[in-house]
Coordinates of all heavy atoms in Angstrom, one line a residue:
M1 N 144.5 163.8 117.3 CA 143.7 163.9 118.5 C 142.7 162.6 118.5 O 142.3 162.4 117.3 CB 142.8 165.1 118.7 CG 142.0 165.1 119.9 SD 141.2 166.8 120.1 CE 142.5 168.0 120.0
R2 N 142.6 161.9 119.6 CA 141.7 160.7 119.6 C 140.7 160.9 120.7 O 141.0 161.3 121.8 CB 142.6 159.5 119.8 CG 143.6 159.2 118.7 CD 144.5 158.1 119.1 NE 143.8 156.8 119.0 CZ 143.6 156.2 117.8 NH1 144.0 156.5 116.7 NH2 142.8 155.1 117.8
L3 N 139.5 160.5 120.3 CA 138.3 160.7 121.3 C 138.4 159.4 122.1 O 138.9 158.3 121.7 CB 137.1 160.6 120.4 CG 136.8 161.8 119.5 CD1 135.6 161.5 118.7 CD2 136.8 163.1 120.3
A4 N 137.8 159.5 123.3 CA 137.8 158.4 124.3 C 137.2 157.1 123.6 O 137.6 156.0 124.0 CB 137.1 158.8 125.5
D5 N 136.2 157.3 122.8 CA 135.5 156.0 122.4 C 136.0 155.8 121.1 O 135.3 154.9 120.3 CB 134.0 156.3 122.4 CG 133.5 157.3 121.4 OD1 134.4 158.0 120.9 OD2 132.3 157.3 121.2
D6 N 137.1 156.2 120.6 CA 137.8 156.0 119.3 C 138.1 154.4 119.2 O 138.4 153.9 120.2 CB 138.9 156.7 119.2 CG 139.0 157.3 117.8 OD1 138.0 157.3 117.1 OD2 140.1 157.8 117.5
L7 N 138.0 153.9 118.1 CA 138.3 152.6 117.8 C 139.8 152.5 117.7 O 140.4 153.4 117.0 CB 137.8 152.1 116.5 CG 136.3 151.5 116.5 CD1 135.9 150.9 115.1 CD2 136.2 150.4 117.5
A8 N 140.4 151.4 118.2 CA 141.9 151.2 117.9 C 141.8 150.5 116.6 O 140.9 149.7 116.3 CB 142.5 150.4 119.0
C9 N 143.0 150.5 115.8 CA 143.1 149.8 114.6 C 142.9 148.2 114.7 O 142.3 147.6 114.0 CB 144.5 150.0 114.0 SG 144.7 151.7 113.4
T10 N 143.4 147.7 115.9 CA 143.2 146.3 116.2 C 141.7 146.0 116.3 O 141.2 144.9 115.9 CB 143.9 145.9 117.4 OG1 143.6 146.9 118.5 CG2 145.4 145.9 117.2
E11 N 140.9 146.8 117.0 CA 139.5 146.6 117.2 C 138.9 146.6 115.7 O 137.9 145.9 115.5 CB 138.9 147.8 117.9 CG 139.3 147.6 119.4 CD 138.4 148.7 120.2 OE1 137.2 148.5 120.5 OE2 139.0 149.9 120.4
F12 N 139.3 147.7 114.9 CA 138.8 147.8 113.6 C 138.9 146.5 112.9 O 137.9 146.0 112.3 CB 139.5 148.9 112.8 CG 139.1 149.1 111.4 CD1 138.1 150.2 111.2 CD2 139.5 148.4 110.4 CE1 137.7 150.4 109.9 CE2 139.2 148.6 109.1 CZ 138.2 149.7 108.8
V13 N 140.0 145.9 112.8 CA 140.3 144.7 112.2 C 139.3 143.5 112.7 O 138.9 142.8 111.9 CB 141.8 144.2 112.3 CG1 142.1 142.8 111.9 CG2 142.6 145.2 111.7
E14 N 139.2 143.5 114.0 CA 138.3 142.5 114.5 C 136.9 142.7 114.1 O 136.0 141.8 114.0 CB 138.4 142.5 116.0 CG 139.6 142.0 116.6 CD 139.9 142.2 118.0 OE1 138.9 142.7 118.7 OE2 140.9 141.9 118.6
L15 N 136.5 143.9 113.7 CA 135.0 144.2 113.4 C 134.8 144.1 112.0 O 133.5 144.2 111.6 CB 134.7 145.7 113.9 CG 134.8 145.8 115.4 CD1 134.4 147.3 115.8 CD2 133.6 145.0 116.1
V16 N 135.8 144.0 111.2 CA 135.6 144.0 109.8 C 134.6 143.1 109.3 O 133.6 143.4 108.6 CB 136.9 143.8 108.9 CG1 136.7 143.5 107.4 CG2 137.7 145.1 109.0
T17 N 134.7 141.7 109.7 CA 133.8 140.7 109.2 C 132.4 141.0 109.6 O 131.4 140.8 109.0 CB 134.2 139.3 109.6 OG1 134.6 139.3 110.9 CG2 135.5 138.9 108.7
E18 N 132.3 141.5 110.9 CA 130.9 141.7 111.3 C 130.3 142.9 110.7 O 129.1 142.8 110.3 CB 130.9 142.0 112.9 CG 131.2 140.8 113.8 CD 131.2 141.1 115.2 OE1 130.2 141.6 115.7 OE2 132.3 141.0 115.9
Y19 N 131.2 143.8 110.4 CA 130.6 145.0 109.6 C 130.1 144.5 108.3 O 129.0 144.8 107.7 CB 132.0 145.9 109.3 CG 131.5 147.2 108.5 CD1 130.7 148.2 108.9 CD2 132.0 147.2 107.2 CE1 130.4 149.3 108.2 CE2 131.7 148.4 106.4 CZ 131.0 149.4 106.9 OH 130.6 150.5 106.1
W20 N 130.8 143.7 107.5 CA 130.4 143.1 106.2 C 129.0 142.4 106.4 O 128.2 142.2 105.5 CB 131.3 142.4 105.6 CG 132.4 143.2 104.8 CD1 132.1 144.4 104.4 CD2 133.8 142.8 104.6 NE1 133.2 144.8 103.7 CE2 134.3 144.0 103.9 CE3 134.5 141.7 104.8 CZ2 135.6 144.0 103.4 CZ3 135.8 141.6 104.4 CH2 136.3 142.8 103.7
E21 N 128.9 141.6 107.5 CA 127.8 140.7 107.7 C 126.7 141.6 108.2 O 125.5 141.1 108.2 CB 128.2 139.7 108.8 CG 129.1 138.7 108.3 CD 129.5 137.9 109.4 OE1 129.0 138.0 110.6 OE2 130.4 137.1 109.3
G22 N 126.8 142.9 108.5 CA 125.7 143.7 109.0 C 125.4 143.4 110.3 O 124.3 143.6 110.8
A23 N 126.4 142.7 111.1 CA 126.1 142.3 112.5 C 126.4 143.3 113.6 O 126.3 143.0 114.7 CB 127.0 141.0 112.7
L24 N 127.1 144.5 113.1 CA 127.4 145.4 114.1 C 126.2 146.1 114.5 O 125.3 146.6 113.8 CB 128.5 146.4 113.5 CG 129.9 146.0 113.3 CD1 130.7 147.1 112.7 CD2 130.5 145.6 114.6
A25 N 126.3 146.5 115.8 CA 125.3 147.5 116.4 C 125.5 148.8 115.7 O 126.6 149.0 115.3 CB 125.4 147.6 117.9
E26 N 124.5 149.6 115.7 CA 124.6 150.9 114.9 C 125.7 151.7 115.5 O 126.5 152.4 114.7 CB 123.2 151.6 115.0 CG 123.2 152.9 114.3 CD 121.8 153.6 114.2 OE1 120.8 152.8 114.4 OE2 121.8 154.8 113.9
R27 N 125.8 151.7 116.8 CA 126.9 152.5 117.4 C 128.2 152.0 117.0 O 129.1 152.9 116.8 CB 126.7 152.5 119.0 CG 127.7 153.3 119.7 CD 127.5 153.3 121.2 NE 128.8 153.3 122.0 CZ 129.4 154.6 121.9 NH1 129.0 155.6 121.4 NH2 130.5 154.6 122.7
D28 N 128.4 150.7 117.0 CA 129.7 150.2 116.6 C 130.1 150.5 115.2 O 131.1 150.8 114.8 CB 129.7 148.7 116.8 CG 129.9 148.3 118.3 OD1 130.4 149.3 119.1 OD2 129.5 147.3 118.7
R29 N 128.9 150.4 114.3 CA 129.1 150.7 112.9 C 129.6 152.2 112.6 O 130.4 152.5 111.8 CB 127.9 150.5 112.2 CG 128.0 150.2 110.6 CD 126.7 150.0 109.9 NE 125.8 151.0 110.0 CZ 124.6 150.9 110.4 NH1 124.1 149.9 110.7 NH2 123.8 152.0 110.5
E30 N 129.0 153.0 113.5 CA 129.4 154.5 113.5 C 130.7 154.7 113.7 O 131.5 155.4 113.1 CB 128.5 155.3 114.2 CG 127.1 155.5 113.6 CD 126.1 156.2 114.6 OE1 126.6 156.7 115.6 OE2 124.9 156.4 114.2
R31 N 131.3 154.1 114.8 CA 132.6 154.1 115.2 C 133.6 153.6 114.2 O 134.6 154.1 113.8 CB 132.9 153.3 116.5 CG 132.2 154.1 117.8 CD 132.1 153.2 118.9 NE 133.4 153.0 119.5 CZ 134.0 151.9 120.0 NH1 133.2 150.9 120.2 NH2 135.2 151.9 120.6
F32 N 133.1 152.5 113.5 CA 133.9 151.8 112.5 C 134.0 152.7 111.4 O 135.2 152.9 110.8 CB 133.1 150.6 112.1 CG 133.8 149.7 111.1 CD1 134.5 148.6 111.4 CD2 133.7 150.0 109.7 CE1 135.2 147.7 110.7 CE2 134.3 149.1 108.8 CZ 135.0 148.0 109.3
E33 N 133.0 153.3 110.9 CA 133.0 154.2 109.8 C 133.8 155.5 110.0 O 134.5 156.1 109.3 CB 131.6 154.5 109.3 CG 131.2 153.2 108.6 CD 129.6 153.4 108.2 OE1 128.9 154.3 108.5 OE2 129.1 152.4 107.5
E34 N 133.7 156.0 111.4 CA 134.4 157.2 111.7 C 136.0 156.9 111.7 O 136.7 157.7 111.2 CB 134.1 157.6 113.1 CG 132.8 158.5 113.2 CD 132.3 158.6 114.6 OE1 133.1 158.6 115.5 OE2 131.1 159.0 114.8
H35 N 136.3 155.7 112.1 CA 137.7 155.3 112.3 C 138.2 155.3 110.8 O 139.3 155.8 110.4 CB 137.9 154.0 112.8 CG 139.3 153.5 113.0 ND1 140.1 153.9 114.1 CD2 140.1 153.0 112.2 CE1 141.3 153.4 113.9 NE2 141.4 152.8 112.8
L36 N 137.2 154.6 109.9 CA 137.8 154.6 108.5 C 138.0 155.9 107.8 O 138.7 156.0 107.0 CB 136.7 153.8 107.8 CG 136.9 153.1 106.4 CD1 138.0 152.2 106.5 CD2 135.6 152.5 105.9
A37 N 137.3 156.9 108.3 CA 137.4 158.2 107.7 C 138.7 158.9 107.8 O 139.2 159.6 107.0 CB 136.2 159.1 108.3
F38 N 139.3 158.6 108.9 CA 140.5 159.3 109.2 C 141.8 158.4 109.3 O 142.9 158.9 109.3 CB 140.5 160.1 110.6 CG 140.6 159.3 111.8 CD1 141.6 158.7 112.3 CD2 139.3 159.1 112.5 CE1 141.6 158.0 113.4 CE2 139.3 158.4 113.7 CZ 140.3 157.8 114.2
C39 N 141.6 157.0 109.2 CA 142.8 156.2 109.3 C 143.1 155.5 108.0 O 142.4 154.7 107.4 CB 142.5 155.1 110.4 SG 143.9 154.0 110.6
D40 N 144.2 156.0 107.5 CA 144.7 155.5 106.1 C 145.0 154.0 106.1 O 144.7 153.2 105.2 CB 146.0 156.2 105.6 CG 145.6 157.6 105.3 OD1 144.5 157.9 105.0 OD2 146.6 158.5 105.2
W41 N 145.5 153.6 107.3 CA 146.0 152.2 107.4 C 144.8 151.3 107.3 O 144.7 150.3 106.5 CB 146.6 151.9 108.7 CG 148.0 152.4 108.8 CD1 148.4 153.5 109.6 CD2 149.0 152.1 108.0 NE1 149.7 153.8 109.4 CE2 150.2 153.0 108.3 CE3 149.3 151.2 107.0 CZ2 151.5 152.9 107.8 CZ3 150.5 151.0 106.4 CH2 151.6 152.0 106.8
C42 N 143.7 151.6 107.8 CA 142.5 150.7 107.8 C 141.8 150.9 106.4 O 141.2 149.9 106.1 CB 141.5 151.1 109.2 SG 142.3 150.5 110.6
R43 N 141.9 151.9 105.9 CA 141.3 152.1 104.5 C 142.0 151.2 103.6 O 141.5 150.4 102.9 CB 141.3 153.4 104.0 CG 140.2 154.4 104.4 CD 139.9 155.6 103.4 NE 141.0 156.4 103.4 CZ 141.3 157.4 104.3 NH1 140.3 157.5 105.4 NH2 142.4 158.1 104.2
I44 N 143.4 151.2 103.7 CA 144.2 150.3 102.9 C 143.9 148.8 103.2 O 143.6 147.9 102.3 CB 145.7 150.5 103.1 CG1 146.0 151.9 102.5 CG2 146.6 149.4 102.5 CD1 147.4 152.4 103.0
Y45 N 143.8 148.6 104.5 CA 143.6 147.2 105.1 C 142.2 146.7 104.4 O 142.0 145.5 103.9 CB 143.4 147.1 106.5 CG 143.0 145.9 107.0 CD1 143.9 144.7 107.1 CD2 141.7 145.7 107.5 CE1 143.4 143.5 107.6 CE2 141.2 144.4 108.0 CZ 142.0 143.4 108.0 OH 141.8 142.2 108.6
L46 N 141.1 147.5 104.5 CA 139.8 147.1 104.1 C 139.8 146.9 102.6 O 139.2 145.9 102.1 CB 138.9 148.2 104.4 CG 137.4 147.9 104.4 CD1 137.0 146.8 105.2 CD2 136.6 149.1 104.6
S47 N 140.5 147.8 101.8 CA 140.3 147.6 100.4 C 141.2 146.3 100.0 O 140.8 145.6 99.0 CB 140.9 148.8 99.7 OG 142.3 148.9 100.0
Q48 N 142.2 146.1 100.6 CA 143.0 145.0 100.4 C 142.3 143.7 100.7 O 142.3 142.8 99.9 CB 144.4 145.0 101.3 CG 145.3 143.8 101.1 CD 146.0 143.9 99.7 OE1 146.2 144.9 99.1 NE2 146.6 142.7 99.3
M49 N 141.5 143.7 101.7 CA 140.9 142.6 102.2 C 139.6 142.3 101.3 O 139.5 141.2 100.8 CB 140.3 142.8 103.6 CG 139.9 141.5 104.2 SD 139.8 141.8 106.1 CE 139.2 140.3 106.6
Q50 N 139.0 143.3 100.8 CA 138.0 143.3 99.8 C 138.4 142.7 98.5 O 137.8 141.8 98.0 CB 137.3 144.6 99.6 CG 136.4 145.1 100.7 CD 136.0 146.4 100.5 OE1 136.7 147.3 100.0 NE2 134.6 146.7 101.0
T51 N 139.6 143.2 98.1 CA 140.1 142.6 96.8 C 140.5 141.1 97.0 O 140.1 140.2 96.1 CB 141.4 143.2 96.5 OG1 141.2 144.8 96.4 CG2 142.1 142.8 95.2
T52 N 141.0 140.8 98.1 CA 141.5 139.3 98.3 C 140.2 138.5 98.4 O 140.2 137.5 97.8 CB 142.2 139.2 99.7 OG1 143.3 140.1 99.6 CG2 142.6 137.7 99.9
L53 N 139.2 139.0 99.1 CA 138.0 138.2 99.3 C 137.3 138.1 97.9 O 136.7 137.0 97.6 CB 137.0 138.9 100.3 CG 137.6 138.8 101.7 CD1 136.7 139.5 102.7 CD2 137.8 137.4 102.2
R54 N 137.2 139.1 97.1 CA 136.6 139.1 95.8 C 137.3 138.0 94.9 O 136.6 137.2 94.3 CB 136.7 140.4 95.1 CG 135.5 140.6 94.0 CD 135.7 142.0 93.5 NE 135.5 143.1 94.5 CZ 136.2 144.2 94.8 NH1 137.3 144.2 94.0 NH2 136.0 145.1 95.6
V55 N 138.6 138.0 94.9 CA 139.4 137.1 94.2 C 139.1 135.7 94.6 O 138.9 134.8 93.8 CB 140.8 137.4 94.3 CG1 141.8 136.2 93.7 CG2 141.2 138.7 93.5
S56 N 139.1 135.6 96.0 CA 138.8 134.1 96.5 C 137.3 133.7 96.4 O 136.9 132.7 96.8 CB 139.4 134.0 97.8 OG 138.8 134.8 98.7
G57 N 136.5 134.7 96.1 CA 135.0 134.4 96.0 C 134.4 134.3 97.3 O 133.3 133.6 97.6
R58 N 135.0 134.9 98.4 CA 134.5 134.8 99.6 C 133.8 135.9 100.3 O 133.5 135.9 101.4 CB 135.6 134.3 100.7 CG 136.0 132.9 100.4 CD 137.2 132.5 101.4 NE 137.4 131.1 101.5 CZ 136.6 130.4 102.1 NH1 135.6 130.6 103.0 NH2 136.9 129.0 102.1
L59 N 133.7 137.0 99.4 CA 133.3 138.3 99.9 C 131.9 138.2 100.6 O 131.6 138.8 101.6 CB 133.2 139.3 98.8 CG 132.8 140.8 99.2 CD1 133.6 141.2 100.2 CD2 132.8 141.5 98.0
Y60 N 131.0 137.3 100.1 CA 129.6 137.3 100.5 C 129.4 136.0 101.4 O 128.2 135.7 101.8 CB 128.7 137.4 99.3 CG 128.8 138.6 98.7 CD1 129.4 138.6 97.3 CD2 128.5 139.8 99.2 CE1 129.4 139.9 96.6 CE2 128.6 140.9 98.4 CZ 129.1 141.0 97.2 OH 129.3 142.2 96.6
E61 N 130.4 135.3 101.7 CA 130.3 134.3 102.6 C 130.4 134.8 104.1 O 131.1 135.7 104.4 CB 131.3 133.2 102.5 CG 131.1 132.4 101.3 CD 132.0 131.2 101.2 OE1 132.7 131.0 102.2 OE2 132.2 130.7 100.0
N62 N 129.5 134.2 105.0 CA 129.6 134.7 106.4 C 130.9 134.3 107.1 O 131.3 135.1 108.0 CB 128.3 134.2 107.0 CG 127.1 135.0 106.7 OD1 127.2 136.1 106.2 ND2 125.9 134.5 106.9
D63 N 131.2 133.2 106.8 CA 132.5 132.7 107.6 C 133.6 132.9 106.8 O 133.9 132.3 105.8 CB 132.2 131.2 108.0 CG 132.0 130.3 106.8 OD1 131.5 130.9 105.8 OD2 132.5 129.1 106.8
L64 N 134.6 133.9 107.3 CA 135.8 134.1 106.6 C 136.7 133.0 107.0 O 136.9 132.6 108.2 CB 136.3 135.4 107.2 CG 137.7 135.8 106.7 CD1 137.6 136.1 105.2 CD2 138.1 137.2 107.5
D65 N 137.4 132.5 106.0 CA 138.4 131.5 106.1 C 139.5 131.9 107.2 O 140.1 133.0 106.9 CB 139.1 131.3 104.8 CG 140.2 130.2 104.8 OD1 140.6 129.9 106.0 OD2 140.6 129.8 103.7
P66 N 139.6 131.2 108.3 CA 140.6 131.6 109.3 C 142.0 131.8 108.8 O 142.7 132.8 109.2 CB 140.4 130.6 110.3 CG 139.2 129.7 110.0 CD 138.8 129.9 108.6
E67 N 142.4 131.0 107.8 CA 143.7 131.2 107.2 C 143.9 132.5 106.5 O 144.9 133.1 106.7 CB 144.2 130.0 106.4 CG 144.5 128.8 107.2 CD 145.0 127.6 106.3 OE1 145.3 127.9 105.1 OE2 144.8 126.4 106.6
T68 N 142.8 132.7 105.8 CA 142.9 134.1 105.1 C 142.8 135.2 106.0 O 143.7 136.2 105.8 CB 141.6 134.1 104.1 OG1 141.5 133.1 103.3 CG2 141.6 135.5 103.4
A69 N 142.0 135.2 107.0 CA 142.0 136.3 108.0 C 143.4 136.4 108.7 O 143.9 137.5 108.9 CB 140.9 135.9 109.1
D70 N 144.0 135.2 109.1 CA 145.2 135.4 109.8 C 146.3 135.9 108.8 O 147.1 136.8 109.3 CB 145.8 134.0 110.2 CG 144.9 133.4 111.4 OD1 144.4 134.1 112.0 OD2 145.1 132.2 111.7
H71 N 146.3 135.6 107.5 CA 147.3 136.1 106.7 C 147.1 137.6 106.6 O 148.0 138.4 106.5 CB 147.0 135.5 105.3 CG 147.8 136.1 104.2 ND1 149.2 135.9 104.1 CD2 147.5 136.8 103.2 CE1 149.6 136.6 103.1 NE2 148.7 137.3 102.5
L72 N 145.8 138.0 106.4 CA 145.6 139.5 106.2 C 146.0 140.2 107.5 O 146.5 141.4 107.4 CB 144.1 139.8 105.9 CG 143.7 139.3 104.5 CD1 142.2 139.3 104.3 CD2 144.3 140.2 103.5
L73 N 145.8 139.6 108.6 CA 146.2 140.4 109.9 C 147.7 140.5 109.8 O 148.3 141.5 110.3 CB 145.7 139.6 111.1 CG 144.2 139.8 111.4 CD1 143.8 138.8 112.4 CD2 143.8 141.1 111.8
E74 N 148.5 139.5 109.4 CA 149.9 139.6 109.4 C 150.4 140.6 108.4 O 151.2 141.5 108.7 CB 150.5 138.2 108.9 CG 150.5 137.2 110.0 CD 151.0 135.9 109.6 OE1 151.8 135.8 108.5 OE2 150.6 134.8 110.1
V75 N 149.6 140.8 107.3 CA 150.1 141.7 106.4 C 149.8 143.2 106.9 O 150.6 144.1 106.7 CB 149.2 141.6 105.1 CG1 149.3 142.8 104.1 CG2 149.6 140.3 104.2
F76 N 148.7 143.2 107.5 CA 148.3 144.5 108.2 C 149.4 144.9 109.3 O 149.8 146.0 109.4 CB 146.9 144.3 108.9 CG 146.3 145.6 109.5 CD1 146.1 146.6 108.8 CD2 146.2 145.6 110.9 CE1 145.5 147.7 109.4 CE2 145.8 146.8 111.5 CZ 145.3 147.8 110.7
R77 N 149.9 143.9 110.1 CA 150.8 144.2 111.1 C 152.0 144.7 110.5 O 152.8 145.7 111.0 CB 151.0 143.1 111.9 CG 150.0 143.0 113.1 CD 150.5 141.9 114.2 NE 150.5 140.6 113.6 CZ 149.6 139.7 113.8 NH1 148.5 140.1 114.4 NH2 149.7 138.5 113.2
D78 N 152.4 144.1 109.4 CA 153.7 144.5 108.7 C 153.6 145.9 108.2 O 154.7 146.7 108.2 CB 154.0 143.6 107.4 CG 154.4 142.1 107.9 OD1 154.8 142.1 109.1 OD2 154.4 141.2 107.1
W79 N 152.5 146.2 107.7 CA 152.3 147.7 107.2 C 152.4 148.6 108.3 O 153.0 149.7 108.2 CB 150.9 147.8 106.7 CG 150.7 147.3 105.2 CD1 151.8 147.2 104.3 CD2 149.6 146.9 104.5 NE1 151.3 146.8 103.1 CE2 149.9 146.5 103.3 CE3 148.2 146.9 104.9 CZ2 148.9 146.0 102.3 CZ3 147.2 146.3 104.0 CH2 147.7 145.9 102.7
K80 N 151.8 148.2 109.5 CA 151.8 149.2 110.7 C 153.2 149.4 111.1 O 153.7 150.4 111.7 CB 151.0 148.6 111.8 CG 149.6 148.5 111.4 CD 148.9 149.8 111.4 CE 148.6 150.3 112.9 NZ 147.9 151.5 112.9
Q81 N 154.2 148.5 110.9 CA 155.5 148.6 111.4 C 156.4 149.3 110.4 O 157.5 149.8 110.8 CB 156.1 147.2 111.6 CG 155.5 146.6 112.9 CD 155.8 144.9 112.9 OE1 156.5 144.5 112.1 NE2 155.1 144.3 113.9
E82 N 156.1 149.6 109.3 CA 156.8 150.3 108.3 C 157.0 151.7 108.7 O 156.1 152.3 109.4 CB 156.3 150.2 107.0 CG 156.6 148.9 106.2 CD 155.9 148.7 104.9 OE1 155.3 149.7 104.5 OE2 156.0 147.7 104.4
Ligands
ZN101 ZN1 143.0 152.2 111.9

């Protein structure tokens, strides 16, 4: 069951960097975390992204490398299609 104001996974992906930057409004952050609580895909995505960013040393940079972001989005899409 999905609530009307539920985040879609694509929205979640778009909000990840803002979430890390603390740039999300409180309401958006709550929706983000609610989505994370029930969506296995996004939990995997988030942990994968955190690992990648930690390895590349970019976790605490505000600007995510666009190539890295694109790559992760592709990986994410592949997972969704399985
Ligand atoms: Zn999701």
